DNA sequence: AGCCTTTCATGGATCGTCTCGACCGCAAAA
DNA sequence: TTTTGCGGTCGAGACGATCCATGAAAGGCT
């Protein structure tokens, strides 16, 4: 993993429809080695998948709700079942086990408050939860799938000696 | 927007490398009309972009921190500057203006706690914030870019009469 | 110094896929 | 009944992915 790989990843995180030749030009390689690098990044699982991102408004899912959950049971058994139940809901797009005050945090996407209420009822019907607290997002100021590439451990590269 | 469009979107949200002919087969269309629908979905902005998703662990960015922010100033002026400053950090992958108790919520991605501390210092050096509270995610149980398609308003379709 | 490994550049061949145009047919709408 | 809006089929041209072969440059090792 070197500077070139990082550049390639940066481009593909922006737009995965770029042609290999196009990427090669931008990173300063010819197409064959650039193609091989991309292959390798996919084999190694650095690039996990390529997906289409949709406009939330266009599919009537523009309200984000953060749901903080506190629980009584902390057994593995319970967590397993809990995870399965939660993950089945397509409205739940993110789901974290947290440290501190709150045990779990969900990001839920729905059309409006009424739909959230319906979701909430379906959720608590399926599993018992001690304490639930919902916070509504008024505005999504930034949302990106582009992870920061500044922390990658770069391997030694040729041409770095004086 | 009908059932077929929804099926197409479902597939492309999963894997945008699928060939048009492949999608057509799965959806029950022939390739040309399927291709036309995809074109239209892109023109209409329903499909916003196609991107590569990376493995957070592979790029040394596997710790998620949720940052709750409270502020004093609520002027548009201040919000504008605040948004710009925050959005410039590549570590901030999500950024919401919230209702209720907390004013803003960030999702920040970093390699470890030390890196988060460094990020935090850079942040508060750039802009004054009344109150900041950080919660660390222990585990990412679910993360998907697939939005729920169950809320799409379907247009009238042929063959729906008895 | 000589050899080995790695990785690049170049060129080319092949194959799949996208893209799009032309035309037909059905069915609902006007 | 005519028009309009899809979808189906066919097919052509362009483009891009994939892979092979070869040669050159650079660094590491003995």
């Amino acid at each position: 993993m070197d500077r070139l790989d990082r550049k390639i990843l940066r481009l593909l995180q922006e737009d995965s429809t770029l042609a290999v030749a196009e990427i090669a030009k931008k990173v300063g390689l010819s197409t064959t080695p650039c193609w091989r690098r991309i292959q390798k990044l996919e084999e190694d699982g650095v690039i996990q998948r390529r997906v289409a991102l949709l406009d939330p408004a266009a599919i009537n899912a523009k309200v984000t709700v953060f749901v903080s959950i506190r629980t009584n049971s902390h057994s593995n058994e319970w967590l397993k079942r809990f995870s399965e139940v939660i993950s089945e809901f397509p409205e739940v797009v993110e789901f974290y086990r947290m440290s501190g005050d709150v045990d779990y945090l969900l990001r839920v996407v729905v059309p409006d408050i009424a739909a959230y209420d319906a979701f909430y009822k379906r959720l608590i019907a399926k599993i018992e939860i001690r304490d639930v607290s919902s916070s509504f997002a008024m505005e999504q100021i930034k949302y990106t799938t582009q992870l920061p590439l500044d922390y990658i451990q770069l391997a030694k590269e040729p041409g770095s000696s004086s």
Side-chain angles (χ1 to χ4, degrees), chain A:
Chain A
M1 184 85 76
D2 61 5
R3 250 174 220 99
L4 293 175
D5 287 323
R6 197 166 61 179
K7 276 192 185 178
I8 291 170
L9 292 176
R10 202 181 301 283
L11 291 170
L12 286 177
Q13 275 200 120
E14 286 248 347
D15 179 4
S16 68
T17 68
L18 283 171
V20 175
E22 195 65 28
I23 296 171
K25 202 196 313 176
K26 292 193 190 213
V27 302
L29 271 178
S30 60
T31 76
T32 304
C34 184
W35 176 79
R36 272 199 290 256
R37 278 167 181 266
I38 294 170
Q39 290 299 308
K40 182 145 175 43
L41 289 168
E42 279 172 350
E43 276 166 26
D44 294 351
V46 179
I47 296 173
Q48 289 190 319
R49 58 206 318 208
R50 291 152 185 260
V51 302
L53 300 184
L54 310 186
D55 175 16
I59 59 168
N60 198 24
K62 56 186 183 308
V63 169
T64 278
V65 188
F66 285 92
V67 183
S68 304
I69 294 178
R70 265 179 281 262
T71 178
N72 297 315
S73 12
H74 289 275
S75 72
N76 275 343
E77 199 57 38
W78 186 87
L79 169 56
K80 186 161 175 297
R81 162 151 169 69
F82 180 65
S83 299
E84 283 167 9
V85 168
I86 298 283
S87 298
E88 270 169 20
F89 287 93
E91 293 93 343
V92 176
V93 293
E94 299 181 46
F95 178 19
Y96 302 88
R97 185 163 59 79
M98 303 296 294
S99 72
D101 193 34
V102 166
D103 293 321
Y104 299 96
L105 184 63
L106 312 183
R107 183 161 84 89
V108 175
V109 171
V110 285
D112 50 40
I113 314 250
Y116 175 70
D117 192 45
F119 162 81
Y120 176 79
K121 284 176 181 161
R122 271 184 293 142
L123 177 63
I124 59 173
K126 276 222 165 189
I127 195 158
E128 189 169 350
I129 300 168
R130 175 155 68 95
D131 187 34
V132 179
S133 158
S134 313
S135 303
F136 289 80
M138 298 286 97
E139 186 184 355
Q140 189 172 59
I141 301 173
K142 179 177 183 180
Y143 172 81
T144 183
T145 57
Q146 297 172 37
L147 300 175
L149 301 177
D150 311 302
Y151 297 107
I152 293 176
Q153 303 283 0
L154 297 179
K156 170 170 81 316
E157 290 179 70
S160 55
S161 71
S162 59

